[in-house]
């Protein structure tokens, strides 16, 4: 068997494992118009990238769901990867949380469309007889004798101990409510929700910001925040490689260069 065929066979096996019927239908739909594109999807996306083991398969699918929700122009592929996330062990609540979180980074329309895609996928899978774990869908709980702002500030400080002060100082003369809403909505209402751990919240945020390609300073912040709470440099590097498939090489290259800059800055400071 040639190396080319080995890549194809490996990719086809990974496609069947992850996306099952949904992925195979996408490839079949391309064969009549561009069989080369179908081949490259199997060889590169699923033979080269998905075959790498440095990032867990469940994490890969969650970050892809985040990226496709955020860019907002790939609804059929988003549905395929929602199927994929559920196929590889994510529960419905975890996928819901990723999509909900994108409201803060890509806006409510993207989150609404993502949630409707999830609703459709779950209904289809139920009709097919698949039994997906629901998970525990819960809102954040504000501790007694605390406020949304205090809870959000506490969560944000876990990512970076200086960021609350940075936000307050940056916006105090132009829009103090901007800092308030970022902290309350982003880090009290959303990040406090228990159905998704902080590590995956940061990984999915990094993926979304990389795919969108319009918020480099925020991407660098979340790369450093991810490193602060236990996401490894290797895992972030793998997210960037994965984004080459879903957002293109320019986005993946820029994201990787942001990772390099953050790592170098940390090294110089430490």
């Amino acid at each position: 068997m040639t190396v080319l065929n080995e890549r194809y066979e490996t990719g086809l096996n990974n496609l069947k494992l992850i996306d099952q019927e949904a992925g195979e239908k996408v490839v079949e739909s391309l064969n009549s118009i561009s069989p080369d594109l179908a081949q490259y999807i199997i060889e590169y996306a699923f033979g080269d990238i998905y075959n790498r083991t440095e990032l867990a398969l469940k994490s890969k699918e969650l970050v892809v769901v985040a990226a496709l929700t955020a860019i907002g122009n790939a609804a059929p592929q988003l549905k395929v990867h929602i199927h994929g996330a559920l196929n590889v062990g994510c529960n419905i609540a975890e996928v819901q949380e990723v999509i909900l979180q994108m409201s803060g980074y890509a806006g409510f329309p993207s989150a609404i469309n993502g949630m409707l895609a999830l609703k459709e996928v779950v209904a289809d899978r139920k009709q097919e007889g698949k039994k997906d774990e629901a998970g525990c869908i819960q809102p954040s709980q504000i501790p007694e004798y605390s406020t949304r702002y205090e809870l959000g500030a506490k969560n944000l400080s876990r990512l970076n101990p200086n960021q609350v002060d940075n936000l307050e100082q940056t916006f105090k003369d132009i829009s103090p409510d901007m800092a308030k809403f970022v902290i309350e909505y982003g880090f009290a209402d959303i990040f406090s929700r228990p159905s998704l751990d902080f590590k995956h919240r940061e990984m999915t945020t990094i993926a979304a910001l990389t795919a969108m390609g319009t918020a480099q300073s925020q991407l660098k912040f979340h790369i450093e925040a991810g490193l602060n709470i236990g996401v490894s440099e290797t895992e972030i590097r793998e997210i960037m490689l994965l984004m080459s498939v879903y957002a293109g090489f320019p986005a993946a290259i820029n994201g990787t260069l942001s990772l390099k800059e953050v790592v170098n800055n940390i090294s110089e400071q430490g």
Side-chain angles (χ1 to χ4, degrees):
M1 183 179 289
T2 65
V3 172
L4 180 64
N5 285 339
E6 286 176 0
R7 288 176 65 226
Y8 188 90
E9 290 299 323
T10 298
L12 192 60
N13 288 335
N14 285 333
L15 175 66
K16 291 177 179 178
L17 171 67
I18 299 162
D19 294 333
Q20 298 178 6
E21 300 93 342
E24 292 182 59
K25 287 178 182 177
V26 172
V27 172
E28 288 171 5
S29 70
L30 292 171
N31 280 331
S32 63
I33 183 64
S34 181
D36 286 344
L37 178 56
Q39 179 178 330
Y40 295 149
I41 288 170
I42 292 171
E43 289 175 352
Y44 179 67
F46 291 93
D48 293 342
I49 300 301
Y50 266 90
N51 205 49
R52 296 170 64 89
T53 58
E54 291 86 350
L55 187 65
L57 197 51
K58 176 177 174 178
S59 298
K60 287 179 181 178
E61 284 303 281
L62 287 177
V63 302
V64 171
V65 168
L68 293 176
T69 300
I71 60 178
N73 60 4
Q77 291 74 23
L78 173 58
K79 291 175 186 176
V80 168
H81 285 280
I82 291 173
H83 276 287
L86 297 172
N87 288 338
V88 300
C90 298
N91 61 48
I92 295 171
E94 289 171 323
V95 179
Q96 183 195 51
E97 288 299 318
V98 169
I99 295 170
L100 182 61
Q101 185 170 308
M102 292 305 102
S103 65
Y105 298 101
F108 281 96
S110 292
I112 290 168
N113 291 338
M115 208 65 77
L116 292 175
L118 172 61
K119 179 180 180 181
E120 185 176 326
V121 168
V122 169
D124 288 345
R125 291 171 68 87
K126 187 176 291 186
Q127 191 170 16
E128 293 166 3
K130 295 177 179 176
K131 297 180 180 179
D132 297 308
E133 182 183 347
C136 185
I137 299 172
Q138 291 179 312
S140 54
Q141 299 296 320
I142 309 301
E144 191 175 5
Y145 308 116
S146 186
T147 65
R148 288 172 65 233
Y149 189 88
E150 290 169 342
L151 177 60
K154 179 180 178 181
N155 287 335
L156 182 53
S157 295
R158 285 181 60 186
L159 304 181
N160 183 309
N162 301 315
Q163 189 62 9
V164 173
D165 288 339
N166 290 342
L167 281 174
E168 290 175 341
Q169 291 302 313
T170 298
F171 292 107
K172 68 177 183 179
D173 296 328
I174 183 64
S175 181
D177 284 343
M178 176 66 77
K180 176 176 179 288
F181 293 146
V182 167
I183 290 168
E184 289 182 344
Y185 181 71
F187 296 95
D189 294 349
I190 301 300
F191 260 69
S192 291
R193 293 173 63 89
S195 299
L196 193 68
D197 58 78
F198 263 48
K199 181 175 179 180
H200 277 103
R201 289 195 181 280
E202 280 306 291
M203 292 169 74
T204 53
T205 299
I206 289 167
L209 292 174
T210 300
M212 292 166 65
T214 56
Q216 288 303 108
S217 62
Q218 290 80 9
L219 174 58
K220 291 174 187 175
F221 169 80
H222 283 284
I223 288 173
E224 184 171 354
L227 293 169
N228 288 341
I229 62 166
V231 182
S232 71
E233 182 182 337
T234 297
E235 288 172 320
I236 298 174
R237 186 167 61 240
E238 291 300 312
I239 290 171
M240 300 309 175
L241 290 174
L242 196 55
M243 289 304 99
S244 71
V245 176
Y246 299 99
F249 280 101
I253 289 168
N254 291 337
T256 302
L257 292 176
S258 293
L259 171 62
K260 180 180 179 179
E261 184 177 334
V262 169
V263 170
N264 287 344
N265 287 342
I266 291 173
S267 178
E268 290 172 3
Q269 294 168 8

